[in-house]
Amino acid sequence: MAKDGPNWDGLLKWSIANSDGTRPTRNLSEEDKRWFMEAMQSQTVDVIKRMKEITMVMQTPEQVLEAQGVTAADIEDMLDELQEHVESIDMANDLHSIGGLVPLLGYLKNSHANIRAKAAEVVSTIVQNNPRSQQLVMEANGLEPLLSNFASDPDVTVRTKALGAISSLIRHNKPGIAAFRLANGYAALRDAVGADSARFQRKALNLIQYLLHENHSDCNVVKELGLPRVMLHLASSEDAEVREAALRGLLELARDKTGGSNGGLGEEDEKLKQILEDRIKGISLMSPEDLGATREERQLVDCLWSTCYKEPSSLREKGLLSLPGEDDPPPDVASKHFEPPLRGWAANHTGDSKPRVKKQEAPLFLGPIPPN
């Protein structure tokens, strides 16, 4: 039984036979050209055409798709494929041109939680580091359903994916940040850091830190919402990444010059000092293996202590801020196996400390010696 698809083994052998340099180049016959083009075109996907087909499906009402036997799992697979296509910035921007962006945003309101989550993931891919698509999503009012899902969706995965899309949408996007503030986004972040999901907490804390870093005037909003108290609690979380994210946010608050001597922490200063002392004590009792995994946390604790109390933390005195070898460059393993010839030659000739100078011998004269 013949295999489906082109004969890739035959194509490989043909390519090697015609490009191995053992024979002079020749013009391809029309039959060879036709065979080669058919083999290549059979595996070529017209991305724009495929995205148009996906757009037609997204524009079709859910009831019609169900009547045709299309399941929610089929839609998820389709969105997976779309996400692969829009990883290219050009394809991401073209999605709007072919009419696919608006129906994709409509999937954020789909009745199936998995589809809502996957749609947010695709939106995140489209807008990430892409100012043009950020603008298009904002103009299509895409922030509103994302905020709605982030703040109030009953499924925590949907909320987490929506938060990820919001983070990508408003990053380096001043109109997006302004719209997020106006939509009471900080209140939704306060609720998110109080959730039970460590991943959800971490994403919310990372966005808080980014927003405070971009605009320190937001520290007042954060204080009014009581977020410093929650962040102090999470600085003692059992999840290492949550702890680090909380410490980064607290550091931004501490650096706020409008909040007095201790920045934007105010009344929480004593509690912060106790938490930092507890973290220093916990770090001091760690095994060498565990210490290696807490490098960033150690630096954050020391930096936060120095910012608030104008003195280095005891981690420096104990030699725990920077462990031996942490600042060394990674070992050069590849050069041992792939040493350039000239470098190898030089290495083999550096053993002698004395320079090798060839002694010039007296010339030999053939024949009688001329008189002086």
Side-chain angles (χ1 to χ4, degrees):
M1 179 177 171
K3 295 181 179 179
D4 295 335
N7 182 3
W8 288 109
D9 291 337
L11 178 60
L12 177 61
K13 292 177 182 178
W14 181 91
S15 300
I16 294 174
N18 286 274
S19 62
D20 62 0
T22 59
R23 63 184 70 186
T25 58
R26 64 180 179 86
N27 293 327
L28 296 178
S29 66
E30 291 301 322
E31 182 180 357
D32 286 341
K33 289 180 180 179
R34 186 166 51 254
W35 177 83
F36 179 79
M37 292 305 297
E38 288 176 356
M40 296 305 297
Q41 289 175 0
S42 66
Q43 293 297 310
T44 301
V45 177
D46 187 337
V47 176
I48 292 294
K49 179 182 177 182
R50 183 60 186 144
M51 286 171 59
K52 288 181 178 178
E53 294 171 351
I54 293 174
T55 296
M56 290 180 63
V57 175
M58 292 192 297
Q59 292 172 337
T60 304
E62 186 177 352
Q63 299 83 354
V64 176
L65 293 176
E66 291 177 354
Q68 298 295 324
V70 178
T71 65
D74 296 330
I75 300 296
E76 289 179 59
D77 292 341
M78 181 190 71
L79 292 176
D80 271 326
E81 180 187 349
L82 179 61
Q83 186 174 11
E84 292 181 6
H85 295 322
V86 297
E87 285 177 356
S88 162
I89 289 182
D90 291 336
M91 293 298 106
N93 294 337
D94 285 342
L95 183 64
H96 173 73
S97 303
I98 63 177
L101 181 59
V102 172
L104 173 64
L105 296 175
Y107 271 167
L108 295 171
K109 303 176 182 179
N110 192 274
S111 59
H112 297 277
N114 290 345
I115 293 178
R116 295 196 301 274
K118 191 63 192 179
E121 198 173 344
V122 178
V123 172
S124 181
T125 301
I126 290 172
V127 300
Q128 189 170 21
N129 300 321
N130 188 347
R132 175 58 179 159
S133 282
Q134 286 178 337
Q135 179 185 357
L136 292 172
V137 170
M138 293 296 297
E139 292 174 352
N141 201 26
L143 181 59
E144 182 180 346
L146 287 172
L147 280 169
S148 176
N149 288 0
F150 164 49
S152 59
D153 198 282
D155 189 287
V156 69
T157 301
V158 175
R159 297 181 70 189
T160 305
K161 297 292 185 181
L163 174 56
I166 292 171
S167 299
S168 298
L169 177 60
I170 68 176
R171 192 171 292 269
H172 307 301
N173 177 8
K174 290 184 178 180
I177 293 176
F180 179 81
R181 288 199 198 99
L182 289 174
N184 208 17
Y186 273 110
L189 286 172
R190 179 192 57 193
D191 296 338
V193 296
D196 294 331
S197 169
R199 185 184 179 196
F200 195 32
Q201 290 175 332
R202 185 170 63 250
K203 283 183 175 290
L205 289 167
N206 286 336
L207 182 54
I208 291 171
Q209 185 268 332
Y210 170 76
L211 293 171
L212 295 179
H213 181 77
E214 290 295 303
N215 191 351
H216 272 282
S217 64
D218 286 0
C219 290
N220 293 327
V221 179
V222 168
K223 287 174 60 179
E224 292 173 1
L225 290 172
L227 271 167
R229 188 178 301 105
V230 182
M231 294 162 70
L232 285 168
H233 173 71
L234 293 178
S236 301
S237 170
E238 295 182 359
D239 187 285
E241 293 183 355
V242 171
R243 284 199 309 270
E244 292 174 6
L247 290 170
R248 282 192 293 268
L250 290 169
L251 183 58
E252 293 295 341
L253 288 171
R255 286 171 172 168
D256 176 32
K257 301 303 181 182
T258 64
S261 60
N262 294 321
L265 294 171
E267 300 174 354
E268 306 295 340
D269 173 59
E270 287 301 321
K271 187 173 183 180
L272 171 65
K273 193 170 187 177
Q274 182 62 50
I275 288 173
L276 292 178
E277 288 176 345
D278 290 343
R279 290 309 307 146
I280 291 172
K281 182 178 179 181
I283 290 171
S284 303
L285 298 175
M286 286 183 177
S287 66
E289 292 79 9
D290 292 336
L291 280 173
T294 61
R295 182 180 183 181
E296 185 174 358
E297 183 179 0
R298 285 182 275 125
Q299 293 174 344
L300 284 168
V301 168
D302 179 74
C303 190
L304 193 51
W305 185 282
S306 301
T307 301
C308 291
Y309 310 116
K310 312 305 179 187
E311 63 180 11
S313 72
S314 59
L315 287 175
R316 291 179 182 269
E317 300 174 7
K318 298 176 181 180
L320 296 175
L321 184 59
S322 180
L323 302 181
E326 280 189 336
D327 296 326
D328 294 343
D332 186 5
V333 178
S335 63
K336 296 180 181 179
H337 301 281
F338 305 99
E339 187 174 53
L342 186 59
R343 185 187 298 178
W345 179 88
N348 294 330
H349 289 74
T350 56
D352 297 337
S353 58
K354 299 179 180 179
R356 296 187 177 184
V357 179
K358 187 177 181 180
K359 183 178 180 181
Q360 187 174 3
E361 299 177 356
L364 295 177
F365 292 99
L366 300 179
I369 299 176
N372 293 332

